[in-house]
Amino acid sequence: MSEDILTLAPPPADRRFAYGSDPNQFGDLRLPERKQKKSFPIVMNIHGGFWRAKYDLLHAGHLCAALARKGCATWNVEYRRVGNPGGGWPGTFEDITNSYRFLTQIAPGYHLDPRRIVVMGHSAGGQLALCLAAYQGTVRGVVSLAGVVNLVRAFELHLSSAAVVEFLEGVRTRFPTTITKPIRYSSSFRKSAKF
């Protein structure tokens, strides 16, 4: 039963936007029913899957649809992952950053408040969400659900058959600054804000 979420189609998004030219650079926008005059807050969701191409955003559509029913617009992001051309560090994070910037540009046209964006991610998406919040000062809040946020420890444990090595395309001794940059920004985000 718990595996059903990975195969059960979520309710369709209101709109799919490409934020880049790669087939994996898109986001699904879901909008709440318009019952208020104020602009809607936004939850940007980044799916997990140890940064690998075999996992996509589809299953996260259920959560995003539920949040939209509760009054939050959602932006469910797809991105280049390990196994896709350009996937891995830094291409994956560039996609996350570009999708965020694209969201802030389209927000006013859909009655969304770009000053009230919370970024949420699960697993590898949690790590990417924390990195984004560290780089983008306009992120209002961040939620990391079971985030792979200690990349050194994940590397040492060889989590998911050395997913960190695949993501960073090497080992700590070969890429010392590459591995510490996503770790430093994942662990440095300390911000409290009201949504």
Side-chain angles (χ1 to χ4, degrees):
M1 184 73 166
S2 64
E3 298 288 318
D4 290 347
I5 196 74
L6 298 176
T7 57
L8 184 65
D14 293 299
R15 181 90 192 265
R16 177 168 281 184
F17 289 96
Y19 63 82
S21 59
D22 188 274
N24 290 300
Q25 294 172 324
F26 65 88
D28 286 343
L29 182 65
R30 287 181 172 83
L31 302 168
E33 288 185 30
R34 189 166 172 148
K35 295 180 181 177
Q36 63 183 31
K37 291 184 179 185
K38 291 174 59 176
S39 296
F40 294 108
I42 311 161
V43 175
M44 176 177 163
N45 183 68
I46 306 168
H47 72 82
F50 280 109
W51 310 280
R52 291 186 174 130
K54 71 179 185 176
Y55 301 103
D56 63 20
L57 60 66
L58 188 64
H59 68 281
H62 296 283
L63 173 59
C64 292
L67 288 169
R69 285 191 301 272
K70 293 295 184 182
C72 288
T74 62
W75 174 242
N76 194 18
V77 177
E78 192 57 271
Y79 52 92
R80 293 172 296 163
R81 300 162 315 280
V82 173
N84 301 130
W89 189 267
T92 294
F93 185 63
E94 290 168 356
D95 286 359
I96 298 304
T97 301
N98 289 335
S99 69
Y100 175 79
R101 289 179 183 149
F102 181 83
L103 174 61
T104 63
Q105 292 169 2
I106 65 166
Y110 288 87
H111 201 63
L112 309 177
D113 188 347
R115 296 166 300 164
R116 293 193 299 159
I117 299 175
V118 169
V119 180
M120 172 177 66
H122 172 253
S123 186
Q127 181 266 336
L128 295 168
L130 289 167
C131 282
L132 180 68
Y135 275 97
Q136 297 293 326
T138 56
V139 170
R140 186 73 183 254
V142 62
V143 178
S144 178
L145 303 168
V148 184
V149 297
N150 187 335
L151 298 186
V152 170
R153 188 70 178 137
F155 171 83
E156 292 167 351
L157 293 172
H158 304 286
L159 291 185
S160 190
S161 301
V164 172
V165 174
E166 293 175 359
F167 176 56
L168 298 176
E169 299 182 43
V171 295
R172 282 191 295 181
T173 55
R174 187 167 169 210
F175 297 105
T177 57
T178 301
I179 197 167
T180 59
K181 195 169 190 177
I183 294 166
R184 183 173 60 248
Y185 287 112
S186 289
S187 62
S188 70
F189 185 77
R190 302 216 193 313
K191 184 178 186 179
S192 64
K194 292 184 179 178
F195 188 54

